[in-house]
Amino acid sequence: MTTTAIPLITPDPAADDERRRGLRRMRTLAVSLLGFAAVVYVATLGQDGFLGFVNAGAEASMVGAIADWFAVTALFKHPLGLPVPHTALIPKRKDELGKGLEEFVGENFLHEEIIRERVASATISLRVGRWLAVPEHTQRAADEIADVAVLALNRVRDEHVEGLIRDALVPRFHEEPIAPLLGTMLEEAVRDDLHHGLVDLGLVELHRWLVENPDTVTLILGERAPWWAPTRLNDAVTSRVHRELVQWVEDIRDDPHHHARQAMDSMLAQLAHDLLHDPATQERAERFKDRLLDHPQVLASSVSLWNALRRSLLASLTDPAGAVRQRLLSELSSFAERLLADEALRTRLDGLAADAAVFGVERYGAEVTTIITTTIERWDGKEAARRIELHVGRDLQFIRINGTIVGGLVGVLIHAVSGTIG
């Protein structure tokens, strides 16, 4: 597969102009030193004594300057345009250089020990605690979290919730046995008497309804009366049954130890046992669960419930004095105080941050460093060479300058040694 070369992006033209001027000044200095050495060499050619030393130094300076010019230039292009082997290295071998840079970063920067050391030295939790300790910062953090939550809630559509429930939750609920869960919950509720509150509420509401709707009760009972019985007799019987029913419910409501309550406790305990151990009861519970999940109203009710919850959250989140925002502000302030006071908490959170960073590097480090190679592969070779030279070329000119100076000193030294030996 071929990749299309893309030009490099110039992030700051003004900065590039400054780099270009600096590179030009250093090139001028290096060339000036070479020219000066050439002039001195010509002026002292054939001289002896002190000038002989000067001539040898100038000759060696020219050699060093030209050799280092060739070496520096060969990195970015062909010297004098000549296709000399192993020149224009960056345009020709940018892909290999990118791969080497990728391996260098991966081997020397993305190690667990280095990451943990950097995270530990950053004291992230302490910095967060100090930042949140400022009331303005706490308010800003609460506002930002609330704004992000509002954006997230507004992006969730009804079809998203419907699809999640229909395609993910409902099939999972179909697969998950409901009988053991219901049996365990009911068994624990009966053992801890948690159901008594619900029974009390039901009895209170039932008693109130019976008292406030005698005509309805009489009508229901009258429909079950024999057709041949006199109307007066039926009315008397239904009225008496209604009064007895009200009194019976009242007795159960007021007596915590009523035998009807005990019978209900026994029934619920037996139901919990059957849900856990009786295959027939478990099968009936599963069938009921499947019918309930397949009912269209389940999906519609779930979406309606989500919409009601979302409206409530949005109203509170968008209100600066809303309960959610105020609670968020309070929790952030409390969290900041704990971070500053609890060193063990800070150590634990910094450890979690280090673990998260190491996990991310171990799982995605290779993908991150691959960006270096893939990006460099897509660069245009000549443009890449020009850009790299613009950034590092000024410093590379010191190689030429040093080569000129050091070459001259070495030339003088060699001349002195050869004169001594001769």
mmCIF file with all atom_site columns, all heavy atoms in Angstrom, residues 125 338 342-355:
data_model
loop_
_atom_site.group_PDB
_atom_site.id
_atom_site.type_symbol
_atom_site.label_atom_id
_atom_site.label_alt_id
_atom_site.label_comp_id
_atom_site.label_asym_id
_atom_site.label_entity_id
_atom_site.label_seq_id
_atom_site.pdbx_PDB_ins_code
_atom_site.Cartn_x
_atom_site.Cartn_y
_atom_site.Cartn_z
_atom_site.occupancy
_atom_site.B_iso_or_equiv
_atom_site.pdbx_formal_charge
_atom_site.auth_seq_id
_atom_site.auth_comp_id
_atom_site.auth_asym_id
_atom_site.auth_atom_id
_atom_site.pdbx_PDB_model_num
ATOM 1   N N   . SER A 1 125 ? -2.118  14.290 43.431 1.00 0.00 ? 125 SER A N   1
ATOM 2   C CA  . SER A 1 125 ? -3.216  14.453 44.385 1.00 0.00 ? 125 SER A CA  1
ATOM 3   C C   . SER A 1 125 ? -3.012  15.683 45.269 1.00 0.00 ? 125 SER A C   1
ATOM 4   O O   . SER A 1 125 ? -3.971  16.398 45.578 1.00 0.00 ? 125 SER A O   1
ATOM 5   C CB  . SER A 1 125 ? -3.347  13.198 45.239 1.00 0.00 ? 125 SER A CB  1
ATOM 6   O OG  . SER A 1 125 ? -2.140  12.935 45.939 1.00 0.00 ? 125 SER A OG  1
ATOM 7   N N   . ARG A 1 338 ? -9.899  16.548 52.524 1.00 0.00 ? 338 ARG A N   1
ATOM 8   C CA  . ARG A 1 338 ? -9.363  15.213 52.786 1.00 0.00 ? 338 ARG A CA  1
ATOM 9   C C   . ARG A 1 338 ? -8.019  15.014 52.106 1.00 0.00 ? 338 ARG A C   1
ATOM 10  O O   . ARG A 1 338 ? -7.100  14.413 52.680 1.00 0.00 ? 338 ARG A O   1
ATOM 11  C CB  . ARG A 1 338 ? -10.347 14.149 52.324 1.00 0.00 ? 338 ARG A CB  1
ATOM 12  C CG  . ARG A 1 338 ? -11.594 14.014 53.161 1.00 0.00 ? 338 ARG A CG  1
ATOM 13  C CD  . ARG A 1 338 ? -12.422 12.843 52.698 1.00 0.00 ? 338 ARG A CD  1
ATOM 14  N NE  . ARG A 1 338 ? -11.654 11.601 52.787 1.00 0.00 ? 338 ARG A NE  1
ATOM 15  C CZ  . ARG A 1 338 ? -11.981 10.476 52.162 1.00 0.00 ? 338 ARG A CZ  1
ATOM 16  N NH1 . ARG A 1 338 ? -13.043 10.438 51.379 1.00 0.00 ? 338 ARG A NH1 1
ATOM 17  N NH2 . ARG A 1 338 ? -11.231 9.399  52.304 1.00 0.00 ? 338 ARG A NH2 1
ATOM 18  N N   . ASP A 1 342 ? -5.063  14.035 54.569 1.00 0.00 ? 342 ASP A N   1
ATOM 19  C CA  . ASP A 1 342 ? -4.866  12.578 54.636 1.00 0.00 ? 342 ASP A CA  1
ATOM 20  C C   . ASP A 1 342 ? -3.749  12.168 53.681 1.00 0.00 ? 342 ASP A C   1
ATOM 21  O O   . ASP A 1 342 ? -3.956  12.052 52.469 1.00 0.00 ? 342 ASP A O   1
ATOM 22  C CB  . ASP A 1 342 ? -6.174  11.869 54.279 1.00 0.00 ? 342 ASP A CB  1
ATOM 23  C CG  . ASP A 1 342 ? -6.126  10.384 54.600 1.00 0.00 ? 342 ASP A CG  1
ATOM 24  O OD1 . ASP A 1 342 ? -5.024  9.854  54.819 1.00 0.00 ? 342 ASP A OD1 1
ATOM 25  O OD2 . ASP A 1 342 ? -7.206  9.749  54.633 1.00 0.00 ? 342 ASP A OD2 1
ATOM 26  N N   . GLU A 1 343 ? -2.573  11.956 54.233 1.00 0.00 ? 343 GLU A N   1
ATOM 27  C CA  . GLU A 1 343 ? -1.435  11.554 53.402 1.00 0.00 ? 343 GLU A CA  1
ATOM 28  C C   . GLU A 1 343 ? -1.635  10.164 52.814 1.00 0.00 ? 343 GLU A C   1
ATOM 29  O O   . GLU A 1 343 ? -1.226  9.890  51.677 1.00 0.00 ? 343 GLU A O   1
ATOM 30  C CB  . GLU A 1 343 ? -0.152  11.589 54.224 1.00 0.00 ? 343 GLU A CB  1
ATOM 31  C CG  . GLU A 1 343 ? 1.099   11.270 53.421 1.00 0.00 ? 343 GLU A CG  1
ATOM 32  C CD  . GLU A 1 343 ? 2.365   11.366 54.233 1.00 0.00 ? 343 GLU A CD  1
ATOM 33  O OE1 . GLU A 1 343 ? 2.267   11.762 55.423 1.00 0.00 ? 343 GLU A OE1 1
ATOM 34  O OE2 . GLU A 1 343 ? 3.442   11.056 53.692 1.00 0.00 ? 343 GLU A OE2 1
ATOM 35  N N   . ALA A 1 344 ? -2.262  9.274  53.591 1.00 0.00 ? 344 ALA A N   1
ATOM 36  C CA  . ALA A 1 344 ? -2.501  7.917  53.092 1.00 0.00 ? 344 ALA A CA  1
ATOM 37  C C   . ALA A 1 344 ? -3.415  7.944  51.876 1.00 0.00 ? 344 ALA A C   1
ATOM 38  O O   . ALA A 1 344 ? -3.211  7.185  50.910 1.00 0.00 ? 344 ALA A O   1
ATOM 39  C CB  . ALA A 1 344 ? -3.112  7.053  54.195 1.00 0.00 ? 344 ALA A CB  1
ATOM 40  N N   . LEU A 1 345 ? -4.418  8.808  51.903 1.00 0.00 ? 345 LEU A N   1
ATOM 41  C CA  . LEU A 1 345 ? -5.313  8.931  50.750 1.00 0.00 ? 345 LEU A CA  1
ATOM 42  C C   . LEU A 1 345 ? -4.554  9.444  49.536 1.00 0.00 ? 345 LEU A C   1
ATOM 43  O O   . LEU A 1 345 ? -4.742  8.934  48.417 1.00 0.00 ? 345 LEU A O   1
ATOM 44  C CB  . LEU A 1 345 ? -6.465  9.877  51.092 1.00 0.00 ? 345 LEU A CB  1
ATOM 45  C CG  . LEU A 1 345 ? -7.437  10.198 49.949 1.00 0.00 ? 345 LEU A CG  1
ATOM 46  C CD1 . LEU A 1 345 ? -8.126  8.930  49.449 1.00 0.00 ? 345 LEU A CD1 1
ATOM 47  C CD2 . LEU A 1 345 ? -8.467  11.235 50.395 1.00 0.00 ? 345 LEU A CD2 1
ATOM 48  N N   . ARG A 1 346 ? -3.695  10.436 49.749 1.00 0.00 ? 346 ARG A N   1
ATOM 49  C CA  . ARG A 1 346 ? -2.911  10.950 48.612 1.00 0.00 ? 346 ARG A CA  1
ATOM 50  C C   . ARG A 1 346 ? -2.005  9.867  48.039 1.00 0.00 ? 346 ARG A C   1
ATOM 51  O O   . ARG A 1 346 ? -1.882  9.731  46.814 1.00 0.00 ? 346 ARG A O   1
ATOM 52  C CB  . ARG A 1 346 ? -2.067  12.152 49.064 1.00 0.00 ? 346 ARG A CB  1
ATOM 53  C CG  . ARG A 1 346 ? -2.875  13.363 49.471 1.00 0.00 ? 346 ARG A CG  1
ATOM 54  C CD  . ARG A 1 346 ? -2.004  14.611 49.457 1.00 0.00 ? 346 ARG A CD  1
ATOM 55  N NE  . ARG A 1 346 ? -0.829  14.473 50.296 1.00 0.00 ? 346 ARG A NE  1
ATOM 56  C CZ  . ARG A 1 346 ? -0.778  14.832 51.566 1.00 0.00 ? 346 ARG A CZ  1
ATOM 57  N NH1 . ARG A 1 346 ? -1.856  15.319 52.162 1.00 0.00 ? 346 ARG A NH1 1
ATOM 58  N NH2 . ARG A 1 346 ? 0.345   14.700 52.262 1.00 0.00 ? 346 ARG A NH2 1
ATOM 59  N N   . THR A 1 347 ? -1.391  9.099  48.910 1.00 0.00 ? 347 THR A N   1
ATOM 60  C CA  . THR A 1 347 ? -0.515  8.022  48.433 1.00 0.00 ? 347 THR A CA  1
ATOM 61  C C   . THR A 1 347 ? -1.298  7.001  47.629 1.00 0.00 ? 347 THR A C   1
ATOM 62  O O   . THR A 1 347 ? -0.847  6.532  46.572 1.00 0.00 ? 347 THR A O   1
ATOM 63  C CB  . THR A 1 347 ? 0.172   7.341  49.628 1.00 0.00 ? 347 THR A CB  1
ATOM 64  O OG1 . THR A 1 347 ? 0.917   8.319  50.362 1.00 0.00 ? 347 THR A OG1 1
ATOM 65  C CG2 . THR A 1 347 ? 1.105   6.238  49.150 1.00 0.00 ? 347 THR A CG2 1
ATOM 66  N N   . ARG A 1 348 ? -2.480  6.665  48.117 1.00 0.00 ? 348 ARG A N   1
ATOM 67  C CA  . ARG A 1 348 ? -3.303  5.687  47.409 1.00 0.00 ? 348 ARG A CA  1
ATOM 68  C C   . ARG A 1 348 ? -3.758  6.216  46.048 1.00 0.00 ? 348 ARG A C   1
ATOM 69  O O   . ARG A 1 348 ? -3.723  5.493  45.039 1.00 0.00 ? 348 ARG A O   1
ATOM 70  C CB  . ARG A 1 348 ? -4.514  5.332  48.264 1.00 0.00 ? 348 ARG A CB  1
ATOM 71  C CG  . ARG A 1 348 ? -5.357  4.196  47.700 1.00 0.00 ? 348 ARG A CG  1
ATOM 72  C CD  . ARG A 1 348 ? -6.284  3.629  48.745 1.00 0.00 ? 348 ARG A CD  1
ATOM 73  N NE  . ARG A 1 348 ? -7.237  4.618  49.244 1.00 0.00 ? 348 ARG A NE  1
ATOM 74  C CZ  . ARG A 1 348 ? -7.206  5.174  50.436 1.00 0.00 ? 348 ARG A CZ  1
ATOM 75  N NH1 . ARG A 1 348 ? -6.234  4.852  51.286 1.00 0.00 ? 348 ARG A NH1 1
ATOM 76  N NH2 . ARG A 1 348 ? -8.111  6.061  50.814 1.00 0.00 ? 348 ARG A NH2 1
ATOM 77  N N   . LEU A 1 349 ? -4.157  7.481  45.998 1.00 0.00 ? 349 LEU A N   1
ATOM 78  C CA  . LEU A 1 349 ? -4.611  8.057  44.726 1.00 0.00 ? 349 LEU A CA  1
ATOM 79  C C   . LEU A 1 349 ? -3.460  8.205  43.741 1.00 0.00 ? 349 LEU A C   1
ATOM 80  O O   . LEU A 1 349 ? -3.631  7.964  42.536 1.00 0.00 ? 349 LEU A O   1
ATOM 81  C CB  . LEU A 1 349 ? -5.272  9.417  44.982 1.00 0.00 ? 349 LEU A CB  1
ATOM 82  C CG  . LEU A 1 349 ? -6.594  9.378  45.738 1.00 0.00 ? 349 LEU A CG  1
ATOM 83  C CD1 . LEU A 1 349 ? -7.128  10.790 45.961 1.00 0.00 ? 349 LEU A CD1 1
ATOM 84  C CD2 . LEU A 1 349 ? -7.632  8.552  44.977 1.00 0.00 ? 349 LEU A CD2 1
ATOM 85  N N   . ASP A 1 350 ? -2.288  8.602  44.235 1.00 0.00 ? 350 ASP A N   1
ATOM 86  C CA  . ASP A 1 350 ? -1.122  8.691  43.344 1.00 0.00 ? 350 ASP A CA  1
ATOM 87  C C   . ASP A 1 350 ? -0.752  7.315  42.810 1.00 0.00 ? 350 ASP A C   1
ATOM 88  O O   . ASP A 1 350 ? -0.341  7.177  41.645 1.00 0.00 ? 350 ASP A O   1
ATOM 89  C CB  . ASP A 1 350 ? 0.058   9.297  44.089 1.00 0.00 ? 350 ASP A CB  1
ATOM 90  C CG  . ASP A 1 350 ? -0.105  10.794 44.324 1.00 0.00 ? 350 ASP A CG  1
ATOM 91  O OD1 . ASP A 1 350 ? -0.947  11.392 43.624 1.00 0.00 ? 350 ASP A OD1 1
ATOM 92  O OD2 . ASP A 1 350 ? 0.585   11.338 45.195 1.00 0.00 ? 350 ASP A OD2 1
ATOM 93  N N   . GLY A 1 351 ? -0.905  6.294  43.655 1.00 0.00 ? 351 GLY A N   1
ATOM 94  C CA  . GLY A 1 351 ? -0.642  4.935  43.187 1.00 0.00 ? 351 GLY A CA  1
ATOM 95  C C   . GLY A 1 351 ? -1.627  4.514  42.111 1.00 0.00 ? 351 GLY A C   1
ATOM 96  O O   . GLY A 1 351 ? -1.244  3.874  41.122 1.00 0.00 ? 351 GLY A O   1
ATOM 97  N N   . LEU A 1 352 ? -2.900  4.891  42.299 1.00 0.00 ? 352 LEU A N   1
ATOM 98  C CA  . LEU A 1 352 ? -3.895  4.577  41.267 1.00 0.00 ? 352 LEU A CA  1
ATOM 99  C C   . LEU A 1 352 ? -3.603  5.320  39.967 1.00 0.00 ? 352 LEU A C   1
ATOM 100 O O   . LEU A 1 352 ? -3.769  4.760  38.869 1.00 0.00 ? 352 LEU A O   1
ATOM 101 C CB  . LEU A 1 352 ? -5.297  4.947  41.774 1.00 0.00 ? 352 LEU A CB  1
ATOM 102 C CG  . LEU A 1 352 ? -5.842  4.094  42.926 1.00 0.00 ? 352 LEU A CG  1
ATOM 103 C CD1 . LEU A 1 352 ? -7.177  4.643  43.405 1.00 0.00 ? 352 LEU A CD1 1
ATOM 104 C CD2 . LEU A 1 352 ? -6.014  2.639  42.483 1.00 0.00 ? 352 LEU A CD2 1
ATOM 105 N N   . ALA A 1 353 ? -3.159  6.565  40.089 1.00 0.00 ? 353 ALA A N   1
ATOM 106 C CA  . ALA A 1 353 ? -2.803  7.324  38.888 1.00 0.00 ? 353 ALA A CA  1
ATOM 107 C C   . ALA A 1 353 ? -1.628  6.679  38.166 1.00 0.00 ? 353 ALA A C   1
ATOM 108 O O   . ALA A 1 353 ? -1.613  6.583  36.927 1.00 0.00 ? 353 ALA A O   1
ATOM 109 C CB  . ALA A 1 353 ? -2.480  8.768  39.262 1.00 0.00 ? 353 ALA A CB  1
ATOM 110 N N   . ALA A 1 354 ? -0.641  6.222  38.931 1.00 0.00 ? 354 ALA A N   1
ATOM 111 C CA  . ALA A 1 354 ? 0.505   5.547  38.320 1.00 0.00 ? 354 ALA A CA  1
ATOM 112 C C   . ALA A 1 354 ? 0.074   4.241  37.666 1.00 0.00 ? 354 ALA A C   1
ATOM 113 O O   . ALA A 1 354 ? 0.524   3.913  36.561 1.00 0.00 ? 354 ALA A O   1
ATOM 114 C CB  . ALA A 1 354 ? 1.583   5.288  39.378 1.00 0.00 ? 354 ALA A CB  1
ATOM 115 N N   . ASP A 1 355 ? -0.791  3.495  38.347 1.00 0.00 ? 355 ASP A N   1
ATOM 116 C CA  . ASP A 1 355 ? -1.288  2.246  37.761 1.00 0.00 ? 355 ASP A CA  1
ATOM 117 C C   . ASP A 1 355 ? -2.029  2.510  36.455 1.00 0.00 ? 355 ASP A C   1
ATOM 118 O O   . ASP A 1 355 ? -1.875  1.765  35.480 1.00 0.00 ? 355 ASP A O   1
ATOM 119 C CB  . ASP A 1 355 ? -2.213  1.535  38.744 1.00 0.00 ? 355 ASP A CB  1
ATOM 120 C CG  . ASP A 1 355 ? -1.458  1.006  39.961 1.00 0.00 ? 355 ASP A CG  1
ATOM 121 O OD1 . ASP A 1 355 ? -0.235  0.846  39.874 1.00 0.00 ? 355 ASP A OD1 1
ATOM 122 O OD2 . ASP A 1 355 ? -2.115  0.757  40.996 1.00 0.00 ? 355 ASP A OD2 1
#
